[in-house]
């Protein structure tokens, strides 16, 4: 497992964009989308719409993943 960011393309509201995340974040982010029954692009679009415009999408996805993992731990169920 590499700690280097990996760039992947996403489509958000019909527009292609590239996002660089570490493999661990991509893996957990995909699992979360799958658990929610959403396409990865759909979950990314939701995060994009909710983020502060001064914060990059990659950072917003990392914070989303971290906060969701922390919330699941607080609930007593470690769910990704």
């Amino acid at each position: 497992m590499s700690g280097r960011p990996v760039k992947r393309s996403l489509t958000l509201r019909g527009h292609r964009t590239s996002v660089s995340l570490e493999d661990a974040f991509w893996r957990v982010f995909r699992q979360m989308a799958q658990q929610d029954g959403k396409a990865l692009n759909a979950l990314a679009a939701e995060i994009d719409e909710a983020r502060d415009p001064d914060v990059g999408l990659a950072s917003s996805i990392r914070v989303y993943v971290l906060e969701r993992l922390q919330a699941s731990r607080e609930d007593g169920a470690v769910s990704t």
Side-chain angles (χ1 to χ4, degrees), residues 11-28:
T11 302
L12 307 177
R13 293 172 304 285
H15 298 282
R16 297 286 285 172
T17 190
S18 294
V19 176
S20 294
L21 297 172
E22 296 75 11
D23 281 331
F25 279 100
W26 279 120
R27 189 172 47 256
V28 175

Side-chain angles (χ1 to χ4, degrees), residues 6-79:
V6 177
K7 187 179 282 192
R8 295 206 168 90
S9 294
L10 296 172
T11 302
L12 307 177
R13 293 172 304 285
H15 298 282
R16 297 286 285 172
T17 190
S18 294
V19 176
S20 294
L21 297 172
E22 296 75 11
D23 281 331
F25 279 100
W26 279 120
R27 189 172 47 256
V28 175
F29 186 44
R30 273 192 214 96
Q31 290 171 348
M32 289 176 173
Q34 192 173 37
Q35 282 181 339
D36 293 349
K38 298 178 182 175
L40 187 67
N41 288 331
L43 183 54
E46 288 177 17
I47 294 167
D48 186 46
E49 289 174 18
R51 74 182 168 97
D52 181 324
D54 293 330
V55 177
L57 180 57
S59 295
S60 296
I61 291 171
R62 285 186 193 95
V63 169
Y64 174 87
V65 168
L66 178 62
E67 288 179 346
R68 187 158 158 182
L69 287 172
Q70 287 175 328
S72 68
R73 286 194 176 132
E74 289 171 4
D75 291 341
V78 178
S79 176

